[in-house]
Amino acid sequence: MAYIKLVESSLKTIKDICASFGYRKGDLINVLHKVQGALGYLSAETQEAVAKELGISAATVYGVVSFYSFFTMKPKGNHPISICMGTACYVRGAEKVVNEFKKQLGVEIGETTEDGVFSLTCLRCVGACGLAPVVTVGEKVYGHVVPDGVEGILNEYK
Amino acid sequence: MGKIKVTIDYKPLEIEEGTTVLHAARQAGIGIPTLCYFQLHDMGIENNPGGCRICVVEIEGRRNLAPACVTVCTDGMVIKTNTIRVLNSRRTVLELILSNHPADCLICAKSGNCELQTLAHRLGVRQIAYQGEQSHFREDRSPSIIRDIDKCIMCRRCEMMCNEVQTVGALSAINRGFDSVVAPAFEQDLIKSPCTYCGQCVAVCPTGALTEIDHTPEILRALADPTKTVVVQTAPAVRVALGEEFGMPVGTIVTGKMAASLRRLGFDYVFDTDFAADLTIMEEGTELLGRISAFLAGDKDVKLPILTSCCPGWVNFLEYNFPNMKDVPSTAKSPQQMFGAIAKTYFADKINVKREDLIVVSVMPCLAKKYECQRDEFKVDNDPDVNYSISTRELAALIKQANISFHELPDEDFDNPLGESSGAAPIFGVTGGVIEAAMRTAYELFTGQKLEKVDFIELRGLEGVRKATIKMGDQDIHIGIANGLGNARKLLEMVNKGEADFHAIEIMACPAGCIGGGGQPLHHGDSSIIKKRAAAIYEEDRNKPIRKSHENSYIIKLYEEFLGKPCNEKAHHLLHTHYFDKSTVIEGTVDVENN
Ligand code: SF4
Ligand code: SF4
Ligand code: SF4
Ligand code: FES
């Protein structure tokens, strides 16, 4: 037998969420959304547990998780940084901002710094186009961000 | 269903309503090229994602080209399959695929048998106009299969085979866009997945993305080593398919030429897995009778139905998916492993060769056998009973490398004492055959009477799930047969729920059984090939002077000289095995935070 270990409370969360959807295989995406919301990210172990509860293969679950960019398999940092890559932000230089964050943190999009403090993701339009380019750190929104301002933002959390 | 009229490439045609453009064209003798589309007609196997668009055609009155494989004909439809527009579009689609494909044809294992290569040739692609970025995935080598998914073209045939037909669920399409390929969960290696090594994904992959692990170099080395005695055994299904690799008509029986070619390759003894198939019947048949007799005598603990255990793909499936039933199958080893165990004891003693100097090679229609012969329980002091297992395709490659003109070979016999077999042995290669072979022997042992009609027609056929009742004297024996693991799952779930009263169930992992195995010459979706192999198997049976395993004189001698009686202690030690629970259990651990 192969054992997959998960913290009891996480396992219970997963089981409850699957039950709340009546174990419907068709609700896989919704289940994963809820589970990610509750646990922060979808580890391989978490995906195995979802697969088992819904009676589908782990490969199928991973297929869905790897397809959609809003699912993440890595734990978020204490301060998750999201950069809007909607059209407005993009044309106003969001990409340069992204590159500056990558440089300063030494991580790629979708990754978390080794100390677990920051994680970096990109978002589709967040609907604050007047403030483009927009960056959020946790709940806090920063507007009109330029590459030179990145260091200042990071320092607020160090 | 009604008939409708269509016109394809100026040819008027009457077809059944509901026919796709692709099939209508085929009826008119027009072969529209396909890549993702795959079908095994009559066997309930179809891959139809409509994804690659290589099959596009022009339909009068429609602005866009339509994929023929998913477009259903309507009455009066006018279809053109070869206009300039169609040809250009087709070539563009192919060039885009090729722009992200390693141009490895010269050294690719699939070269000469690759559908992508054939298509590039057929469409006359002479340059790749698009220079794309190439994906770089790591190569995954499991005991049976190599995944080189830089060569994956996302036709998703393997996914369909693994998930829908086999219900194993080892594979899924992952990622999106440029990076999308088919892979196991979390992009782990196949060995960490519930893969059964049935090889059905390999059997349908159009490209070199999925191929078998090649053991021919090790075999050439063993043959060249003067200190080794090398013996070979050949499985039943190989002899009705090997000829295809040399352009012989499908269904040609090449048993004699195969034996001759193995001798030319330098094997010291050319033996037959069919001998071990007869031995399997002695053991499994005795076990079956033992259980049925105990059951009839009122023993409540006896485990029925007995499940056959000669297919290692199926055994793997059971260990992952039905661990609660791991004590139900017959404990008899597969013929491959029975052969190995006897070769390295009885035969090694006979010729006075030390176990470690005897190399046993098997030629199998099967990729799961490569994994099976590496299982720890089939080794003695780390020396495997069967050293290497190669596929029918690998044997063909060896014969070609060795300059042997297969066509011109004479028919030769196997060597003895491990080469003789009854007609009950070859039919192991087709679904229903193992249980038919078992019934031929069980009937005579149970009733004490001679079986007049050895052909159990009611056990034959290629349907995925079959049921039959056989009379043994006054006793009705209920038999279930499944080929393909999805069908096996259906039968086992019935048994688990108590909905079936079978005494015995035969299961083969591959659709149609070993004749359709993952190591056989590629059928490219032509189910008539599989049917012709099945017919050849039954012909091989009919041609044998002896049709029942227990009448094989060398089997009788083996028991007299060495084993004693079927299922006795010695036989158990050498010829039987046990199964493991390989399921995954999700375990909750104590919360760190709450401590
Ligand atoms: S691995 Fe082969 S069969 Fe599977 S999707 Fe890729 S090309 Fe198709
Ligand atoms: S060998 Fe069989 S079980 Fe394994 S991935 Fe291929 S189809 Fe699935
Ligand atoms: S059916 Fe035959 S070829 Fe297929 S996995 Fe089983 S033993 Fe191997
Ligand atoms: S063969 Fe028709 S879309 Fe691929």
Side-chain angles (χ1 to χ4, degrees), chain A residues 1-11 15 43-45 47-50 52 57-64 66-69 73, chain B residues 163 168-177 183-188 192 194 581-594:
Chain A
M1 267 193 272
Y3 290 94
I4 290 173
K5 292 194 194 316
L6 258 177
V7 175
E8 190 65 53
S9 61
S10 305
L11 187 55
K15 286 188 172 168
S43 67
E45 292 77 11
Q47 294 178 48
E48 293 268 9
V50 170
K52 190 136 235 170
S57 73
T60 303
V61 175
Y62 177 70
V64 169
S66 65
F67 185 83
Y68 293 103
S69 54
M73 282 187 64
Chain B
N163 297 352
V168 169
L171 298 174
S172 169
I174 62 156
N175 302 337
R176 69 190 313 169
F186 321 121
E187 282 176 68
Q188 282 176 338
K192 297 207 175 118
D581 180 348
K582 292 193 182 153
S583 61
T584 359
V585 177
I586 303 198
E587 221 181 30
T589 58
V590 185
D591 274 66
V592 188
E593 294 96 324
N594 295 353

Side-chain angles (χ1 to χ4, degrees), chain B residues 149 151-158 182 204-207 209-210:
Chain B
I149 50 174
K151 293 179 181 163
C152 175
I153 58 167
M154 269 308 271
C155 67
R156 306 180 72 166
R157 293 182 187 180
C158 56
V182 171
V204 300
C205 180
T207 72
L210 298 172

Side-chain angles (χ1 to χ4, degrees), chain B residues 235-255 258 365 392-393 396 406 514-517 519-522 529-530 532-534 536-537:
Chain B
V238 177
R239 66 207 65 194
V240 298
L242 180 63
E244 293 167 29
E245 291 279 335
F246 300 94
M248 298 170 111
V250 177
T252 308
I253 299 172
V254 296
T255 317
M258 176 178 70
T392 312
R393 294 189 293 264
F406 193 75
C514 305
I515 49 168
Q520 290 283 57
L522 299 173
I529 292 180
I530 293 176
K532 285 179 190 155
R533 290 178 191 163
I537 286 270

